[in-house]
Amino acid sequence: KSSFAALTIASAFIFVIYQIVLFNKIYIKLAPLKNDRTAERLAYDILYTVPDNALLFLIEDTTAFDTEYMYYTAGGASGWRGIKLIQLGAIGYPFYSKILAKHYPQLDFSGISLFDDTQKALSEIADRYYTIYPIMSGGPFQVNSNYQWVRTGLLYRLYNKKDYNLITPQYIKQVN
């Protein structure tokens, strides 16, 4: 009995010591991150780059999650200056069209099959909304040949090729 009790006490002691050492190793690495605002700053930079009432397609997880967090926390339930966030990676899922319809009733995706051919669907969205909303993205993606992506800082803006001759540095400053 005494050897079992001694083994139990020794095991518990080793387990506690191990947890303390592990905590200290992890804490030393993670403690400086509690004041790191890199993600929030990135999200603010993205949101301030987008013109009011724009469609913003988010592509990568880091920018998507950070931007959505700031969009809903700093912008409130109504969002941020009328910007409509669309996660490009989720656009092909059936549940996502319901989410978009709930959050942005002014957007009508009827007649656009988001599930079959994503490039065709995005081209149809561009055709439908190019003249109504500025279309921005975290990175270029394929749309039909009528459009061209132009880098405007952290983001890309979609332009119709017929408007491409208007694009100068002064024009980009004016429209952004």
Side-chain angles (χ1 to χ4, degrees):
K1 288 182 172 179
S2 65
S3 66
F4 179 73
L7 181 63
T8 304
I9 292 171
S11 297
F13 180 73
I14 291 170
F15 180 75
V16 168
I17 295 298
Y18 178 73
Q19 295 300 319
I20 292 170
V21 169
L22 190 62
F23 174 79
N24 284 333
K25 281 185 146 187
I26 292 172
Y27 183 79
I28 288 169
K29 291 178 183 175
L30 295 180
L33 297 178
K34 72 179 180 182
N35 296 319
D36 186 344
R37 299 287 175 246
T38 304
E40 290 89 344
R41 288 184 188 126
L42 173 64
Y44 274 123
D45 287 347
I46 288 171
L47 290 169
Y48 280 118
T49 302
V50 178
D52 292 350
N53 299 312
L55 298 181
L56 174 57
F57 288 91
L58 299 170
I59 296 176
E60 296 140 350
D61 288 347
T62 301
T63 56
F65 299 143
D66 297 343
T67 305
E68 281 186 327
Y69 174 78
M70 295 312 296
Y71 178 85
Y72 288 113
T73 57
S78 61
W80 188 284
R81 297 181 359 253
I83 297 169
K84 293 124 192 86
L85 294 182
I86 301 172
Q87 280 196 20
L88 193 61
I91 207 162
Y93 292 101
F95 71 89
Y96 196 61
S97 60
K98 293 175 187 171
I99 291 171
L100 291 175
K102 178 183 175 187
H103 288 286
Y104 311 117
Q106 66 274 38
L107 297 180
D108 177 19
F109 293 126
S110 62
I112 298 176
S113 177
L114 299 174
F115 319 116
D116 299 329
D117 184 351
T118 305
Q119 180 180 350
K120 181 180 177 195
L122 294 170
S123 296
E124 291 174 11
I125 291 169
D127 288 340
R128 186 174 291 181
Y129 291 113
Y130 176 77
T131 58
I132 301 170
Y133 304 110
I135 300 175
M136 308 291 289
S137 176
F141 53 85
Q142 291 293 318
V143 289
N144 66 42
S145 61
N146 295 331
Y147 297 99
Q148 177 72 39
W149 289 102
V150 175
R151 186 160 196 103
T152 58
L154 290 172
L155 301 173
Y156 289 82
R157 184 167 179 166
L158 187 69
Y159 287 97
N160 192 302
K161 285 192 177 173
K162 68 180 180 180
D163 299 331
Y164 200 67
N165 61 343
L166 302 173
I167 301 171
T168 63
Q170 294 81 14
Y171 177 75
I172 290 174
K173 282 184 183 178
Q174 176 189 359
V175 297
N176 285 326

